[in-house]
């Protein structure tokens, strides 16, 4: 499967960077965005060494006008693929005196803003752009205008007590893509949601507990690209964990909670909170 023009958010690190490098080839044009200029430069250089043309944009995905302008770059080119990889995570804080454990309001709002609104800030303008593109033949019986894929999470398939706003943001993103894809597909625009477990990237590097289903970045990229070649609406791995999560979701809530709150990832204070650099006070001083 070859793609000519590709847009990627979250391209300065982890899954976004690895996908950019895996897709980089002579004749390929990569439009890479992230909030980290230094990381973007590293990804850009690696892709150019592989023969790709790169265009780097440092932005915050929650900045809607900036995202609309980013999606409108190179208007004469046909966009083959949008990969939405920018995302953040954070867990609930340690238990307080009364037994409750919470995420801060700042953390909840920021996770929703980046993981959901930030993703939509790329997906919606790109659907409109792709609608105006010509249908191209991609197989004997298949033609399409473009593909859009966002990295959701297996956390979006369950009500996970350790990361409530992360679970909620990824659930909304996954449901939006899977549901919208039913009709965009008829117009030749294929949507995919990636529901994966832990992937060994900088996002999880500081986790100090066993991560169920931990996948190498190479394996994750191979699975995502294989799923995209098959136009899968939902790309899931590892399947045993996703099946387990689906089972947990049909159990009575109290029973599922009993299990989750005993898991290392479900205990208050075990998943790191949102990094300081993503908190609002810190961002406004940048
Ligand atoms: N790794 C996993 O285990 C895992 C599992 C399931 C799903 N996912 C999802 O996969 C996606 C990629 O994660 P990853 O593991 O590759 O994480 P990563 O290595 O932290 O990469 C994410 C990139 O997105 C950037 N970013 C964050 N907020 C942004 C914003 N507001 N505007 C622009 N860029 C922003 C990050 O910058 P900073 O470095 O400044 O944060 C980082 O460069 C995320 O959506 C994540 O939720 C990851």
């Amino acid at each position: 499967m070859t793609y000519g023009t590709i847009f990627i958010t979250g391209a300065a690190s982890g899954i976004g960077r690895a996908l950019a490098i895996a897709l980089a080839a002579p004749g390929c044009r990569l439009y890479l965005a992230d909030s980290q200029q230094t990381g973007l430069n590293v990804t850009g250089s690696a892709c150019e060494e592989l023969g790709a043309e790169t265009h780097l944009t440092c932005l915050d995905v929650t900045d809607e006008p900036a995202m609309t302008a980013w999606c409108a770059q190179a208007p004469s080119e046909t966009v083959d693929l949008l990969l939405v990889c920018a995302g953040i995570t954070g867990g609930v804080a340690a238990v307080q005196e009364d037994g409750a454990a919470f995420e801060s309001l700042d953390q909840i709002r920021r996770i929703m803003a980046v993981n959901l609104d930030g993703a939509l800030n790329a997906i919606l303008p790109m659907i409109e752009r792709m609608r105006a593109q010509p249908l191209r033949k991609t197989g004997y019986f298949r033609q399409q205008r473009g593909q859009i894929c966002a990295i959701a999470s297996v956390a979006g398939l369950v009500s996970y007590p350790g990361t409530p706003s992360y679970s909620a943001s990824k659930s909304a993103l996954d449901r939006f893509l899977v549901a919208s894809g039913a009709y965009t597909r008829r117009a030749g625009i294929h949507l995919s949601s990636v529901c994966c477990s832990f992937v060994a990237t900088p996002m999880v590097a500081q986790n100090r507990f066993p991560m169920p289903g931990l996948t190498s970045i190479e394996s994750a990229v191979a699975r995502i690209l294989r799923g995209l070649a098959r136009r899968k609406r939902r790309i899931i791995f590892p399947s045993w964990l996703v099946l387990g999560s689906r089972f947990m979701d049909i159990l009575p809530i109290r029973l599922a909670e009993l299990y989750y709150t005993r898991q290392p990832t479900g205990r208050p204070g075990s998943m790191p909170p949102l990094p300081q650099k993503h908190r609002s006070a810190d961002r406004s001083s940048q």
Side-chain angles (χ1 to χ4, degrees):
M1 184 76 197
T2 52
Y3 298 100
T5 297
I6 305 164
F7 282 63
I8 307 178
T9 72
S13 177
I15 299 172
R17 170 183 285 170
L19 282 166
I21 293 171
L23 292 164
C28 160
R29 291 161 300 283
L30 291 166
Y31 293 83
L32 308 177
D34 200 287
S35 52
Q36 301 298 325
Q37 185 66 59
T38 313
L40 264 183
N41 293 344
V42 173
T43 308
S45 302
C47 294
E48 286 189 5
E49 274 177 30
L50 293 164
E53 179 185 310
T54 64
H55 302 267
L56 312 182
T57 308
C58 190
L59 49 63
D60 185 325
V61 293
T62 64
D63 181 344
E64 191 181 349
M67 287 297 289
T68 305
W70 179 69
C71 290
Q73 284 180 99
S76 59
E77 285 176 33
T78 298
V79 181
D80 296 302
L81 177 64
L82 164 68
L83 293 166
V84 179
C85 304
I88 53 175
T89 189
V92 294
V95 177
Q96 298 179 7
E97 279 166 12
D98 61 358
F102 300 101
E103 288 180 90
S104 68
L105 185 63
D106 185 30
Q107 172 168 315
I108 296 166
R109 290 211 191 285
R110 186 64 185 163
I111 287 178
M112 293 292 185
V114 174
N115 293 359
L116 183 57
D117 294 340
L120 293 177
N121 283 343
I123 294 166
L124 300 182
M126 202 53 91
I127 288 178
E128 282 312 306
R129 179 170 176 166
M130 286 179 176
R131 285 179 72 197
Q133 295 184 168
L135 271 171
R136 282 158 300 125
K137 220 170 157 44
T138 54
Y140 281 122
F141 304 109
R142 197 187 274 151
Q143 46 184 5
Q144 71 177 41
R145 291 192 158 87
Q147 280 182 262
I148 295 175
C149 170
I151 317 295
S153 171
V154 72
L157 302 178
V158 292
S159 306
Y160 206 70
T163 52
S165 56
Y166 184 74
S167 282
S169 67
K170 294 299 187 178
S171 179
L173 179 60
D174 172 72
R175 294 285 171 190
F176 176 80
L177 285 168
V178 174
S180 304
Y183 292 124
T184 63
R185 183 174 150 266
R186 296 185 186 179
I189 301 166
H190 296 271
L191 307 186
S192 300
S193 161
V194 177
C195 289
C196 58
S197 179
F198 290 102
V199 179
T201 71
M203 180 181 271
V204 302
Q206 55 169 323
N207 290 355
R208 295 286 168 260
F209 45 77
M211 291 182 265
L214 181 66
T215 307
S216 72
I217 186 90
E218 294 79 13
S219 170
V221 164
R223 285 161 189 250
I224 293 168
L225 294 181
R226 206 177 315 135
L228 285 176
R230 294 177 186 161
R231 274 103 186 139
K232 288 185 81 169
R233 189 77 54 75
R234 189 180 269 137
I235 299 168
I236 56 176
F237 57 87
S239 44
W240 62 266
L241 192 72
V242 175
L243 282 173
S245 301
R246 289 230 182 275
F247 170 72
M248 293 300 290
D249 218 29
I250 57 171
L251 290 181
I253 291 171
R254 291 286 175 84
L255 200 59
E257 267 172 15
L258 207 61
Y259 172 77
Y260 283 138
T261 53
R262 280 164 174 71
Q263 296 307 300
T265 48
R267 284 196 204 114
S270 63
M271 288 288 276
L274 188 66
Q276 193 57 39
K277 66 179 174 182
H278 289 302
R279 293 175 184 274
S280 55
D282 204 53
R283 283 198 323 279
S284 59
S285 64
Q286 283 174 3

